[in-house]
Amino acid sequence: MAMPRPTAAQLAYGSCTVIFSTFAMLLLSGTSSGAGIAVIAVAALVLGLLVAMTVPASGKRPAAVHQPSPREPVRASVPAPAPEPVRERAAS
């Protein structure tokens, strides 16, 4: 089964999360080493991926399946046949 393609909203939220979280972590940590920057970049990418995957896909919701309520069987209202007169046979 193929994976569905990401929507524009998922791409936008994920990209913004990566950019802003990278800047925030770099400013707050004050690191200048290459290893520290690499760790922050990987953490920002993982965070952006998580945000992008949790954004609900708009318009892709499955339609609710309409289940008809169980109905009682229809009873035929046919009048009972009229009783026939009893005919006696002659003894032979």
Side-chain angles (χ1 to χ4, degrees), residues 5-34:
R5 296 183 67 133
T7 63
Q10 288 174 321
L11 290 174
Y13 281 125
S15 299
C16 289
T17 301
V18 170
I19 293 168
F20 291 128
S21 63
T22 303
F23 284 141
M25 286 189 280
L26 284 172
L27 290 174
L28 291 174
S29 69
T31 187
S32 58
S33 68

Side-chain angles (χ1 to χ4, degrees), residues 29-58:
S29 69
T31 187
S32 58
S33 68
I37 293 173
V39 168
I40 288 175
V42 169
L45 286 173
V46 169
L47 185 62
L49 180 64
L50 288 175
V51 168
M53 297 312 291
T54 56
V55 173
S58 62

Side-chain angles (χ1 to χ4, degrees), residues 19 24 70 75 89:
I19 293 168
R75 302 190 188 273
R89 289 188 172 184

